[in-house]
Amino acid sequence: MKSIQTNKLIEWRRTFHQFPEIGWTEFVTTGTIISILREMNIEVKAGPHIICRESILGRDEKLVNEAIKIAEEEGISTELLVEMDGLTGCMAIIDTEIPGPTFTFRFDIDCVYVQESNDDTHLPNKQGFASCRSGLMHACGHDGHTAVGLGLAHWLKQNIHALRGKYKLIFQPAEEGVRGARAISDSGILDDTDYFMGMHIGCNLKKGEIALDPFDFLCTTKLDISLKGKVSDATDEPEKGNNALAGACFLVNEILAIPRHGKGMTRVNVGTLIAGENRSLIPSSAKMQLEVRGQDAEITQYLFDNIKRYVDAAAVAYQLDTKIEITGEATNFRNDPEMINIMQGAINSHPELVNITLPLGGSEDVSLMVRRVQEKGGKAIFFLVGADQSDGHHKEKFDIDEEALSIGLTLFTEGILSILNM
Ligand SMILES: [Zn+2]
């Protein structure tokens, strides 16, 4: 079977690394992915076909509009931007038209708010492919995921006559902040999936180490709470104001004091609070950003229910209009044993690869997609691919050993061949 050169994967990864885009604004990235896929004569559907607009979480319209202008400047064609219709991400479809299983693969494409190191020893600087965008960086390896996705599309197209079934490759926007998967999952495009695969590169594993069954994925809900009161002069008529800042302070204290749950781990953080007009006015508005995490969905729901009750209480006590907006969401899951066995088979034929037991202890919105596939009777796996990374995820010197890109691709292709009994 023909496979792509490692050099090509590296070239693609570096192209994406140079132009990182934050979740829901990946217009240049998506435009580039679509163009590369279409050059390979692969069918591609843009964002509007794979995203349920009502289920979008944490999308900032202002950032989106700015990003579309930047994409125009960067040479993304008007046709492509019209096709995207404000929604990033896309799906490649390779249909062998021979009866067989439907495979779905997920590759996330967004970056994080990190300023890339300008240290000479940092490889992207040495080799001239560091981020050209201030304050933005592919510091989580999603540039590598995107490259592997293109590599897989290429492999499938090259070998289409030897394969059976249908292959869908989802290039997902906005994984960071666990925002993108809900809208993709709710669109229904996963529902005919027999086999689902996704991966993450890095995860503090050495190159050659693979975690086929990472566990301890934390459920999380990200929330924005807005409080609206009534402004009034703090000297002349303080009694006429409805104090949103006071309501927010009440909330911070109560939320941080929610009793922990006996059945498992919890995390609660109020990360920001912005409120008020100026020193002499009763503050009429407040906005808070917070997140909760729990060991399972029940515990996370318990945290959310408590917050909701306190917000209702603040509304009554301080006479405020309140709004809770969920801006991100992930849950927990376990890989299907059948899929783990299949991938273990792939690892066994490569002496340089080893399966490592690893608790993740973080959150990933692929969890929503895995759950959806499993609920509809499909089998799913999300595995981690070690890459001798040079710094932690979301850190300024994060970098991967690019040979890990071929390892990731090999696991996908061998997993497919094993499922097809080839
Ligand atoms: Zn990531």
Side-chain angles (χ1 to χ4, degrees):
M1 292 243 166
K2 288 172 244 164
S3 198
I4 194 124
Q5 307 271 318
T6 305
N7 284 349
K8 195 71 197 167
L9 295 178
I10 293 174
E11 184 191 314
W12 281 329
R13 182 253 167 170
R14 293 184 176 195
T15 300
F16 295 116
H17 190 86
Q18 276 182 283
F19 204 86
E21 294 170 295
I22 210 75
W24 296 123
T25 73
E26 311 92 329
F27 292 98
V28 174
T29 305
T30 302
T32 307
I33 295 168
I34 292 177
S35 301
I36 292 173
L37 290 167
R38 286 190 178 151
E39 267 166 41
M40 297 182 204
N41 282 318
I42 290 173
E43 180 191 355
V44 194
K45 289 187 167 167
H49 297 276
I50 65 167
I51 286 163
C52 170
R53 283 187 193 263
E54 295 73 47
S55 302
I56 288 174
L57 302 177
R59 181 171 175 274
D60 182 330
E61 205 67 36
K62 190 167 154 263
L63 286 182
V64 168
N65 290 331
E66 282 167 16
I68 291 172
K69 283 203 192 76
I70 292 168
E72 282 167 355
E73 286 160 23
E74 289 295 318
I76 302 300
S77 73
T78 313
E79 291 77 20
L80 266 181
L81 288 168
V82 168
E83 196 181 337
M84 290 187 234
D85 195 17
L87 296 177
T88 49
C90 63
M91 178 167 73
I93 301 159
I94 295 141
D95 191 348
T96 66
E97 287 171 19
I98 298 167
T102 297
F103 293 83
T104 305
F105 307 89
R106 179 272 210 161
F107 306 95
D108 43 2
I109 64 172
D110 58 327
C111 79
V112 286
Y113 285 114
V114 168
Q115 175 66 44
E116 185 154 17
S117 166
N118 58 12
D119 194 320
D120 300 340
T121 62
H122 179 56
L123 191 86
N125 292 325
K126 253 200 270 187
Q127 308 250 337
F129 68 94
S131 168
C132 65
R133 308 193 70 204
S134 171
L136 296 171
M137 179 186 171
H138 271 294
C140 198
H142 300 187
D143 48 350
H145 301 169
T146 310
V148 172
L150 291 173
L152 180 60
H154 181 269
W155 182 87
L156 289 165
K157 187 73 183 171
Q158 287 281 303
N159 299 296
I160 189 166
H161 299 300
L163 301 169
R164 290 180 283 116
K166 189 173 173 182
Y167 301 82
K168 305 202 282 191
L169 285 69
I170 297 171
F171 293 88
Q172 183 207 308
E175 192 286 321
E176 299 294 346
V178 289
R179 297 174 288 157
R182 166 59 70 200
I184 287 181
S185 178
D186 285 358
S187 77
I189 58 165
L190 299 167
D191 294 359
D192 61 347
T193 303
D194 297 298
Y195 300 99
F196 177 92
M197 299 185 205
M199 69 144 194
H200 207 299
I201 212 158
C203 306
N204 305 314
L205 293 171
K206 293 200 184 68
K207 186 175 73 181
E209 290 178 345
I210 311 292
L212 288 181
D213 188 24
F215 54 93
D216 270 0
F217 284 87
L218 301 181
C219 300
T220 183
T221 305
K222 320 286 186 199
L223 311 157
D224 283 359
I225 299 176
S226 312
L227 308 169
K228 191 101 200 79
K230 199 166 86 191
V231 73
S232 73
D233 191 286
T235 307
D236 293 344
E237 34 190 28
E239 75 287 0
K240 294 204 173 145
N242 296 343
N243 193 326
L245 175 55
C249 291
F250 160 81
L251 278 178
V252 172
N253 284 324
E254 294 304 326
I255 289 169
L256 295 182
I258 294 170
R260 296 323 186 219
H261 201 291
K263 281 197 196 149
M265 198 282 301
T266 59
R267 295 276 186 280
V268 177
N269 188 47
V270 181
T272 69
L273 165 57
I274 297 167
E277 285 79 10
N278 71 43
R279 191 192 310 281
S280 312
L281 295 173
I282 301 293
S284 71
S285 71
K287 194 161 183 183
M288 305 156 61
Q289 294 179 311
L290 53 147
E291 62 172 21
V292 295
R293 294 176 201 256
Q295 199 155 324
D296 63 27
E298 184 198 343
I299 295 172
T300 313
Q301 188 64 41
Y302 157 83
L303 296 169
F304 180 76
D305 290 345
N306 270 275
I307 290 173
K308 210 172 160 299
R309 223 178 45 244
Y310 288 127
V311 170
D312 290 344
V316 174
Y318 296 86
Q319 294 183 280
L320 306 170
D321 289 329
T322 60
K323 195 174 99 191
I324 301 178
E325 189 192 346
I326 296 177
T327 63
E329 194 185 355
T331 185
N332 59 347
F333 68 96
R334 285 310 291 261
N335 287 337
D336 286 288
E338 185 187 330
M339 297 297 279
I340 298 171
N341 288 341
I342 287 165
M343 300 308 269
Q344 182 67 57
I347 287 184
N348 289 346
S349 57
H350 293 273
E352 72 280 14
L353 302 182
V354 58
N355 182 19
I356 294 278
T357 306
L358 187 83
L360 192 88
S363 304
E364 236 288 358
D365 72 358
V366 76
S367 53
L368 299 173
M369 300 167 95
V370 168
R371 285 271 187 134
R372 178 85 174 204
V373 168
Q374 290 173 334
E375 276 163 27
K376 301 281 174 185
K379 306 271 182 233
I381 190 166
F382 179 74
F383 55 91
L384 314 178
V385 177
D388 280 341
Q389 73 207 55
S390 54
D391 200 356
H393 285 270
H394 298 199
K395 299 270 170 58
E396 59 167 14
K397 284 188 188 172
F398 178 86
D399 192 30
I400 53 167
D401 183 327
E402 290 167 318
E403 282 177 22
L405 301 173
S406 321
I407 297 175
L409 178 56
T410 300
L411 288 169
F412 283 117
T413 57
E414 296 198 2
I416 292 167
L417 294 174
S418 174
I419 288 168
L420 296 177
N421 284 319
M422 291 173 74

